[in-house]
């Protein structure tokens, strides 16, 4: 369908829980960079990154007029059925629909997605931490991914005939439970199969969590 308006997705960074409950520091399923890349792959034109600390005190009508209307010039808005916004979470879907009538934009409310229960970030995070990356991928709609700079190792894998690319766990990222996983490794545009070990190496006196990818 032809549309003169670009598609835009709004997301938050830092995580809203960090703003509302300082010190909680929830583990992230996707970093902000990974999130933007995933959305770009879906054909989203623009990703708007909001800092909740800057807008949490806006009344619902102020959020609609200042953010949605003045900055985004929204014409069609899609939100989840449990969406709440504005100071003290006073705004909801019913408020948005009425505001859309006043400001000239449409609102579509999408029901919560379920698969043996409501799909939530908490549920997905728990599956990843338990090492159940297959079920996590089913709920995510794509494979769990992790990216970081490859760091030099001690070359033990190479000496054993299984050289590895070593990655330190990205800060704040939720990491799969210790184990060996089948994976795809991406280098630019090249994608290769890999076996990934998550854990420590007690055989060699290691105590630090490491992520080691052996490219097959």
């Amino acid at each position: 369908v032809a549309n003169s308006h670009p598609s835009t997705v709004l997301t938050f960074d830092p995580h809203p829980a960090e703003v509302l409950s300082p010190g909680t520091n929830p583990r992230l399923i996707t970093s902000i960079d990974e999130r933007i890349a995933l959305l770009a792959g879906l054909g989203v034109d623009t990703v708007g990154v909001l800092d909740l600390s800057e807008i949490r005190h806006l009344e619902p009508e102020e959020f609609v007029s200042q953010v949605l209307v003045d900055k985004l010039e929204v014409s069609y808005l899609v939100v989840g059925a449990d969406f709440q916004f504005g100071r003290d979470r006073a705004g909801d879907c019913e408020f948005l629909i009425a505001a859309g009538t006043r400001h000239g934009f449409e609102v579509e409310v999408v029901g919560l997605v379920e698969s043996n229960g409501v799909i939530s970030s908490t549920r997905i995070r728990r599956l990843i931490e338990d090492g159940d990356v297959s079920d996590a991928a089913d709920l995510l709609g794509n494979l769990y991914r992790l990216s970081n700079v490859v760091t030099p190792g001690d070359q033990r894998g190479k000496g054993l005939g299984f050289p590895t690319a070593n990655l330190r766990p990205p800060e704040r990222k939720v990491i799969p439970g210790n184990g060996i996983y089948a994976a795809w490794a991406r280098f630019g545009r090249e994608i290769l199969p890999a076996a990934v070990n998550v854990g420590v190496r007690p055989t060699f006196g290691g105590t630090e969590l490491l992520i080691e990818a052996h490219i097959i």
Side-chain angles (χ1 to χ4, degrees):
V1 178
N3 191 337
S4 60
H5 294 276
S7 57
T8 300
V9 170
L10 293 181
T11 187
F12 288 94
D13 188 59
H15 193 289
E18 295 181 58
V19 178
L20 298 175
S21 302
T24 54
N25 299 333
R27 294 286 178 180
L28 302 177
I29 297 172
T30 57
S31 68
I32 187 62
D33 291 336
E34 291 168 340
R35 211 174 312 155
I36 291 171
L38 283 168
L39 291 168
L42 293 173
V44 172
D45 297 305
T46 304
V47 178
V49 182
L50 301 176
D51 184 340
L52 185 61
S53 63
E54 297 178 356
I55 62 172
R56 63 181 298 191
H57 299 298
L58 292 179
E59 297 293 342
E61 180 60 35
E62 291 177 318
F63 177 82
V64 169
S65 61
Q66 295 178 25
V67 178
L68 298 182
V69 176
D70 293 345
K71 290 188 177 181
L72 294 179
E73 299 179 351
V74 64
S75 61
Y76 194 93
L77 181 66
V78 180
V79 295
D82 61 346
F83 182 65
Q84 293 179 294
F85 66 100
R87 188 170 187 170
D88 298 325
R89 305 180 73 184
D92 56 14
C93 295
E94 186 176 347
F95 182 96
L96 273 177
I97 292 171
T101 300
R102 294 194 302 273
H103 291 280
F105 61 84
E106 294 183 61
V107 177
E108 178 182 352
V109 179
V110 177
L112 301 181
V113 181
E114 296 192 15
S115 177
N116 295 319
V118 173
I119 298 176
S120 68
S121 58
T122 299
R123 182 180 169 192
I124 294 170
R125 190 180 295 111
R126 187 177 300 119
L127 287 170
I128 295 171
E129 291 173 339
D130 290 344
D132 195 349
V133 291
S134 295
D135 281 353
D138 288 341
L139 300 186
L140 281 169
N142 55 74
L143 295 176
Y144 166 87
R145 62 182 61 197
L146 182 149
S147 57
N148 209 349
V149 176
V150 174
T151 58
D154 53 20
Q155 305 299 310
R156 291 188 185 273
K158 184 177 181 180
L160 295 171
F162 295 96
T164 60
N166 304 302
L167 291 81
R168 297 195 181 280
E171 185 179 3
R172 301 284 317 289
K173 176 89 171 179
V174 60
I175 304 298
N178 291 359
I180 299 175
Y181 300 87
W184 296 102
R186 180 190 296 272
F187 300 89
R189 295 185 178 181
E190 189 173 14
I191 300 177
L192 298 169
V196 177
N197 178 67
V198 177
V200 298
R201 293 181 294 179
T203 302
F204 299 110
T207 58
E208 182 182 11
L209 181 67
L210 294 175
I211 300 165
E212 303 170 296
H214 171 61
I215 310 302
I216 300 172

